[in-house]
Amino acid sequence: MDLLKVLIADDEANIRNGLKCILNWEECGYKICGEASNGKDAVSQINDLRPDLVILDIKMPGLTGIEVMTEVNKYHETNNLEMPAFIILSGYSDFDYAQKSINKGARAYLLKPVDEDELQEKVIQIAKEIHEKRILNEVSKNAEVFEINDYLLKLFETGKITPPVKFVGNSFFTDYENSTYSCVLIDTELLDQLNLNDFLRSIDNYFSFFTRVILQKEKKIIVLLKATNEVAINNCIDRTSRLNKNKKTFICKSALYTGLNGLLSAYKEVEKLNSCLFYISDLNFISSENISNYQSSNLEDKKLSDFITDIVFCIETYNKNKLNQIVEEIKAFYCDLSRSESETKKMFISCMIELRNSLISKYPEREISNGTTFEVVPKILEAASYSEIISYIKSVFEELLENFNFNTTDSVIVKVIAYVKSNYTSDLKLETLGDLFNCNSAYLGKKFKKYTGTQFNTYLDNLRIEDAKEKLLNTDLKIYQISKLVGYSNTDYFFMKFKKCTGYTPKEYKKVIENEK
């Protein structure tokens, strides 16, 4: 139990020194916090140091002991402070003085020279009474706090407003119909190295300027503020935000609302904002006002399959820059604050599984890792934030890119094939590809045939003719236009290649296919 503070006030130095030594104050439950030699100094020190007990001489210069008690009483009543206990000392027995001091609240009236045993008995008794009173006050206070917390939690859970008649004396509910309230929600799941008791003490300290109620609901702390100044609230939140060592956003703040309906609206607002914490990681706090820049980009025309195709191409061609660009597009595409965390995680899991299946389907001969690279389900489900998921999938893409192309005899051919598939409408030659991929064109031709089973020129013609067939059947383009679009500048040469591949001229092919339909 903490030691109580005692102040000694007497105009005689030898009496003050004697009182300091006459008892073992620590054993009696006290520590001496100050001393005064006159009445005015006594009033000043009592009001500043706020001792629990004052040993006070009845006759002092400036103010008498009775006057000191009167002044102290006024100050403490005005500032709603707990009065100290007084033991009055007097050099002579005077019933009138004793009566006046007792009327002012003195606990004892002792004659000088002070009897050590009598003084010790009195100060121990006073210490016991002070502690018992404080325990009772704390119990009463805790009981009211519990009831207020229970009332507010039921209000938020049910949405039913009942007048807080029982708590009208509590400052939080004073004039509640016209008071403005704000709600601050702190999600402790996003905090690193959290000692909850220390954290709560810090929160209570930071918001001490406000009339407030602090609730705990599961792993969330709800700070309800009776306030009118949003700037002051923001400043307190800024201090709170620095408690998180990982710098992630973990605080939501509502606007100001009036009355109990407004208090309920404030809570509902932060509950809704709390789901946005998954997506936002770089703000001191989030509010309805400051999240507009985090809404999903309009990429509705971009399909999931388009991302997969682009990622596979980057992996095949070892294109890191393009891959990073795609990651940023995915980040924007999936950042939808209206979508729940679980829905977003399911989408990412679906995306990663489809990527794996696409690679296996396209390259069945390649070993696509089933280990750490594709432990997607637990990794994504365990992610605490949107940015964690983005970082994770980026690492998977980069690992695939490196593993797919690193230290294999076929890595160059894989890149060449991917390049040819994307650029077959251009004027491609083995010599050009050899320069582009830093290898001898003759060697490249041999490796290409060994890997694909087809000569390079035949492979290129097949790609072009397949494209031409699709355009013949699905467009109204002229044959010479199709010839140029698929990579043949000479229409006669296109005719020859088309007939060699299909057995028909372009017109004959179109007619045969249409008749079959």
Side-chain angles (χ1 to χ4, degrees):
M1 192 173 290
D2 292 339
L3 294 175
L4 300 175
K5 295 185 291 184
V6 61
L7 184 140
I8 298 170
D10 196 294
D11 59 332
E12 297 182 50
N14 63 325
I15 292 180
R16 294 196 304 272
N17 292 331
L19 287 170
K20 285 190 284 186
C21 300
I22 194 173
L23 298 181
N24 185 328
W25 287 101
E26 246 185 75
E27 285 186 4
C28 294
Y30 296 86
K31 61 182 177 180
I32 295 172
C33 67
E35 57 182 283
S37 60
N38 62 71
K40 288 186 178 179
D41 188 29
V43 170
S44 175
Q45 289 207 51
I46 292 169
N47 291 342
D48 287 343
L49 299 175
R50 294 177 60 186
D52 301 288
L53 172 64
V54 179
I55 311 292
L56 180 64
D57 187 14
I58 198 73
K59 284 279 191 178
M60 284 192 299
L63 295 172
T64 68
I66 301 298
E67 290 169 335
V68 167
M69 293 175 70
T70 300
E71 291 296 316
V72 170
N73 197 23
K74 286 179 184 177
Y75 178 83
H76 280 63
E77 279 186 2
T78 302
N79 293 279
N80 196 27
L81 299 173
E82 183 183 357
M83 275 286 289
F86 287 91
I87 293 178
I88 300 299
L89 303 181
S90 178
Y92 51 89
S93 178
D94 188 307
F95 178 75
D96 187 49
Y97 274 133
Q99 188 178 41
K100 285 180 180 178
S101 64
I102 297 299
N103 288 341
K104 290 291 181 182
R107 301 290 185 88
Y109 186 90
L110 303 180
L111 293 177
K112 298 178 183 178
V114 176
D115 180 89
E116 177 183 340
D117 292 336
E118 186 179 10
L119 177 62
Q120 180 168 313
E121 180 185 346
K122 292 294 182 186
V123 298
I124 290 175
Q125 178 62 31
I126 289 170
K128 181 182 178 183
E129 291 173 2
I130 290 173
H131 286 305
E132 286 176 351
K133 182 181 177 182
R134 289 182 180 177
I135 290 169
L136 287 173
N137 287 341
E138 191 64 29
V139 169
S140 176
K141 181 183 175 183
N142 289 341
E144 184 182 55
V145 167
F146 177 82
E147 289 186 53
I148 288 173
N149 290 0
D150 186 57
Y151 166 82
L152 290 168
L153 288 172
K154 284 180 179 176
L155 168 66
F156 298 149
E157 287 170 7
T158 65
K160 295 179 180 178
I161 296 174
T162 56
V165 178
K166 191 174 182 179
F167 313 118
V168 288
N170 185 282
S171 56
F172 187 80
F173 293 103
T174 302
D175 193 26
Y176 63 87
E177 291 178 338
N178 300 309
S179 297
T180 54
Y181 297 96
S182 180
C183 183
V184 176
L185 186 148
I186 298 167
D187 194 333
T188 62
E189 282 192 291
L190 301 175
L191 291 170
D192 275 354
Q193 301 176 356
L194 173 67
N195 181 307
L196 189 57
N197 289 330
D198 290 344
F199 186 78
L200 282 168
R201 278 192 288 270
S202 296
I203 298 299
D204 195 39
N205 180 47
Y206 291 165
F207 290 92
S208 60
F209 296 105
F210 298 98
T211 300
R212 66 205 176 279
V213 174
I214 299 177
L215 308 174
Q216 284 182 258
K217 186 180 179 184
E218 297 171 347
K219 294 188 177 180
K220 297 170 187 173
I221 296 171
I222 302 162
V223 184
L224 303 171
L225 303 171
K226 188 176 184 180
T228 57
N229 190 331
E230 284 204 76
V231 174
I233 297 173
N234 293 347
N235 289 338
C236 294
I237 291 175
D238 182 58
R239 293 180 67 192
T240 305
S241 70
R242 297 174 200 168
L243 294 172
N244 200 9
K245 299 184 184 301
N246 63 25
K247 305 300 181 186
K248 289 178 183 175
T249 309
F250 66 104
I251 303 171
C252 305
K253 189 206 81 169
S254 77
L256 292 173
Y257 295 91
T258 303
L260 291 183
N261 277 311
L263 185 60
L264 180 58
S265 296
Y267 173 75
K268 287 180 177 178
E269 183 178 341
V270 293
E271 273 287 291
K272 185 176 180 181
L273 288 171
N274 187 59
S275 63
C276 300
L277 287 174
F278 174 71
Y279 294 96
I280 298 173
S281 304
D282 56 351
L283 295 176
N284 286 347
F285 67 93
I286 65 172
S287 66
S288 297
E289 294 178 359
N290 68 3
I291 61 173
S292 57
N293 293 333
Y294 290 83
Q295 299 298 332
S296 176
S297 298
N298 187 15
L299 294 175
E300 292 180 1
D301 56 331
K302 188 82 171 180
K303 298 177 182 177
L304 178 63
S305 56
D306 295 330
F307 283 126
I308 302 301
T309 302
D310 292 344
I311 295 166
V312 170
F313 176 73
C314 290
I315 291 170
E316 291 172 329
T317 57
Y318 200 76
N319 193 333
K320 285 186 175 181
N321 291 334
K322 178 65 176 176
L323 188 62
N324 289 334
Q325 181 184 331
I326 292 170
V327 170
E328 290 304 310
E329 284 188 22
I330 290 175
K331 181 179 179 180
F333 182 72
Y334 284 116
C335 186
D336 185 349
L337 303 187
S338 65
R339 186 187 296 131
S340 70
E341 176 183 336
S342 61
E343 288 176 323
T344 295
K345 287 182 175 181
K346 286 176 184 177
M347 284 186 167
F348 275 109
I349 291 170
S350 173
C351 175
M352 300 300 285
I353 291 175
E354 186 169 338
L355 171 61
R356 179 179 182 275
N357 291 341
S358 295
L359 286 169
I360 290 174
S361 175
K362 193 169 184 180
Y363 299 99
E365 74 284 357
R366 302 297 298 270
E367 291 186 7
I368 306 300
S369 172
N370 284 311
T372 56
T373 303
F374 277 99
E375 292 174 348
V376 293
V377 175
K379 289 286 187 181
I380 292 176
L381 290 179
E382 291 166 10
S385 68
Y386 186 72
S387 59
E388 279 187 28
I389 293 180
I390 297 299
S391 297
Y392 169 67
I393 66 166
K394 183 179 180 182
S395 69
V396 172
F397 295 161
E398 290 174 346
E399 186 177 348
L400 280 170
L401 182 142
E402 296 294 338
N403 291 346
F404 200 85
N405 293 285
F406 178 72
N407 198 27
T408 66
T409 57
D410 297 328
S411 61
V412 174
I413 297 302
V414 170
K415 296 175 188 177
V416 169
I417 290 171
Y419 185 84
V420 171
K421 286 180 177 179
S422 298
N423 298 277
Y424 63 83
T425 59
S426 304
D427 184 20
L428 292 183
K429 293 182 173 61
L430 274 173
E431 290 77 10
T432 307
L433 293 172
D435 292 339
L436 187 62
F437 289 93
N438 299 313
C439 60
N440 180 275
S441 59
Y443 171 80
L444 182 61
K446 290 179 182 178
K447 294 294 294 181
F448 193 95
K449 183 178 180 181
K450 182 178 179 182
Y451 191 84
T452 64
T454 309
Q455 294 283 358
F456 170 74
N457 287 333
T458 303
Y459 187 89
L460 181 60
D461 285 333
N462 287 338
L463 287 175
R464 289 171 171 174
I465 298 306
E466 285 301 314
D467 190 9
K469 286 157 67 174
E470 191 274 331
K471 287 178 169 57
L472 277 170
L473 298 174
N474 299 303
T475 72
D476 295 325
L477 293 170
K478 305 294 184 183
I479 291 175
Y480 75 89
Q481 293 173 316
I482 292 174
S483 172
K484 289 182 178 180
L485 285 174
V486 300
Y488 295 109
S489 56
N490 187 307
T491 306
D492 291 336
Y493 187 69
F494 168 64
F495 266 84
M496 182 188 73
K497 287 293 183 181
F498 194 93
K499 187 165 185 177
K500 182 178 180 181
C501 287
T502 66
Y504 301 101
T505 66
K507 284 185 179 181
E508 290 172 342
Y509 176 80
K510 185 174 182 178
K511 187 176 182 180
V512 168
I513 297 300
E514 287 176 347
N515 288 338
E516 288 179 354
K517 290 181 179 179

